[in-house]
Amino acid sequence: MPEQRTAAPAASAGELLSAYRPGDAFFSTATGALHGTGALHTLDRIDDLPATLADAGPGAVAMGAIPFDTSRPAHLVVPRTVRRAPSPTEGPTPENRWRPLGEGWRVTPVPEPEAHVAAVERAVKLMADDAELRKVVLARSLRVEGDEPIDVATVLANLVWRDPTAFVFATDLPERDSGTRTLIGASPELLVAKSGREVLSNPLAGSAPRSADPTKDQRNAVDLLTSAKDRHEHAVVVEAVAESLRPFCRTLSVPAEPELVKTATMWHLSTRVNGELIDHDVPVHTLAAALHPTPAICGTPTGRAFDTITDLEPFDRGFYTGAVGHSDARGDGEWVVTIRCADVAGTTVDLFAGGGVMPESDPEAELAETSAKLRTLLLALGVNGTV
């Protein structure tokens, strides 16, 4: 069995970014980056990771994604070569700069904005009629089409340039008729990270758009932090994350109050849940499976929310609101929630964004939230206009 080869650390994450080609795997965070090329193994079940990584040899790493619907196949790869960088790319450099793409994009909403508002109204009514259904996360999609194949490497570079401390990722997916297919994005939300006995999850729920006006931007942040609706939504998610991790942990720290975190386009309510594992041999993928899907991307209770999403959303989420990340042979690694992302195939990009619908939600405000979230990928593509 050939062993995975891990190259010496690169001088910077920018070098890894410059080396990326479609079909590779790329994952960067505020603390470093990984770039995988080639494939020793391809897996469609996350439970097969431990045995496969053991066979791949010391230092082996698996990278890839799992879908929203856990009954469907994952897409995971043990790269032949993995290069690491110890620090992220920060700000414009020769390797990391804003790169323009073409013009003439054709944008098709799925569904139309009015239909998304109607779906939110329907979800609010369902919760009014059924007190057990506490939250439903509804998403919408944009299909963006160009005349030439999408330059995935450029989109990835633009995402890193704008949000260098986000979880920026690109991983190949099973091909369509149009050929190579890539899941790409800049997620702000850590599903779970594990190092030895230490485990961390950072759920986000409750959002507000950023503004170029500093005064308005600060007001949006304060309004979010004091919003009863958003704090309730956030508390539902944190409660579920803590309950999922508690059986694995000797100690678990859950702050009583959320904090504000920001991306280039959004403010979020954030809570960092830290724990010490009872068994340090529990692999990170087991923790990810226990957590996924969280109420942040599905709702609560999970089964009822999932069925409601299936009834109300007119598209297949695929790997959107799944998880993307990496695991090593020791069981350590990081997995993030697959949001602020796009599915790229040929000349077509499918973008996704959603929001947590609560009994007190305003449908028009929910539409505006998805529009703000879609800006992350639209800006990376160079698409202007309202959505």
Side-chain angles (χ1 to χ4, degrees):
M1 182 72 67
E3 290 190 352
Q4 187 180 45
R5 299 192 303 274
T6 303
S12 71
E15 290 186 6
L16 299 193
L17 185 64
S18 295
Y20 170 84
R21 299 293 181 270
D24 296 350
F26 181 88
F27 188 91
S28 72
T29 74
T31 57
L34 285 82
H35 174 218
T37 56
L40 285 178
H41 305 280
T42 302
L43 304 83
D44 61 10
R45 283 171 31 90
I46 198 167
D47 289 343
D48 293 336
L49 280 178
T52 304
L53 287 168
D55 287 345
V61 176
M63 305 175 73
I66 60 176
F68 170 62
D69 183 347
T70 57
S71 69
R72 294 188 177 183
H75 191 72
L76 307 164
V77 172
V78 179
R80 184 170 295 277
T81 299
V82 175
R83 300 175 69 202
R84 299 174 182 268
S87 59
T89 301
E90 296 183 357
T93 71
E95 299 85 12
N96 175 35
R97 59 187 181 276
W98 184 262
R99 305 174 187 176
L101 283 91
E103 298 180 350
W105 301 102
R106 299 177 294 279
V107 181
T108 305
V110 183
E112 292 291 336
E114 297 81 3
H116 183 72
V117 169
V120 174
E121 291 173 344
R122 175 63 178 154
V124 170
K125 186 177 187 306
L126 288 172
M127 284 183 279
D129 295 339
D130 179 2
E132 188 176 335
L133 185 61
R134 298 168 61 194
K135 177 182 177 180
V136 177
V137 179
L138 288 183
R140 65 188 186 105
S141 176
L142 294 179
R143 171 154 287 192
V144 179
E145 297 175 279
D147 295 324
E148 301 290 337
I150 308 301
D151 186 344
V152 176
T154 294
V155 178
L156 182 65
N158 288 346
L159 288 170
V160 173
W161 187 90
R162 185 170 287 274
D163 268 321
T165 59
F167 299 98
V168 181
F169 56 86
T171 184
D172 73 322
L173 294 177
E175 293 187 355
R176 291 177 177 162
D177 294 340
S178 54
T180 301
R181 181 177 165 217
T182 305
L183 179 70
I184 188 169
S187 176
E189 185 166 6
L190 177 67
L191 179 64
V192 64
K194 173 187 175 284
S195 178
R197 287 190 183 273
E198 296 181 2
V199 63
L200 169 66
S201 181
N202 188 191
L204 307 181
S207 306
R210 299 292 308 279
S211 173
D213 179 341
T215 300
K216 184 177 180 182
D217 191 49
Q218 188 61 32
R219 184 165 62 246
N220 288 352
V222 172
D223 288 347
L224 174 62
L225 190 60
T226 57
S227 164
K229 178 263 182 188
D230 288 290
R231 290 177 71 95
H232 179 204
E233 178 185 347
H234 186 78
V236 168
V237 177
V238 173
E239 174 189 347
V241 167
E243 288 306 306
S244 296
L245 286 178
R246 193 162 277 117
F248 298 97
C249 292
R250 176 180 290 118
T251 60
L252 194 67
S253 173
V254 185
E257 294 290 323
E259 299 177 329
L260 284 169
V261 297
K262 62 185 178 182
T263 70
T265 61
M266 300 295 297
W267 287 102
H268 295 287
L269 294 180
S270 164
T271 295
R272 293 173 63 86
V273 179
N274 293 274
E276 181 185 1
L277 293 171
I278 298 168
D279 179 3
H280 75 274
D281 289 330
V282 173
V284 68
H285 80 265
T286 297
L287 302 172
L291 287 164
H292 177 66
T294 73
I297 49 86
C298 182
T300 190
T302 302
R304 300 282 288 279
F306 184 92
D307 291 342
T308 303
I309 289 167
T310 302
D311 290 342
L312 294 180
E313 289 183 357
F315 56 86
D316 181 354
R317 287 192 180 187
F319 287 85
Y320 164 64
T321 59
V324 62
H326 61 92
S327 300
D328 66 22
R330 298 183 302 274
D332 293 345
E334 295 172 294
W335 290 84
V336 303
V337 182
T338 316
I339 52 176
R340 308 304 127 75
C341 69
D343 187 329
V344 183
T347 60
T348 300
V349 189
D350 290 316
L351 283 63
F352 304 91
V357 180
M358 304 290 288
E360 59 271 34
S361 288
D362 173 11
E364 291 291 343
E366 296 296 334
L367 176 66
E369 181 177 327
T370 61
S371 296
K373 290 175 176 176
L374 285 164
R375 290 182 62 236
T376 297
L377 264 295
L378 289 172
L379 289 169
L381 287 165
V383 179
N384 298 312
T386 58
V387 291

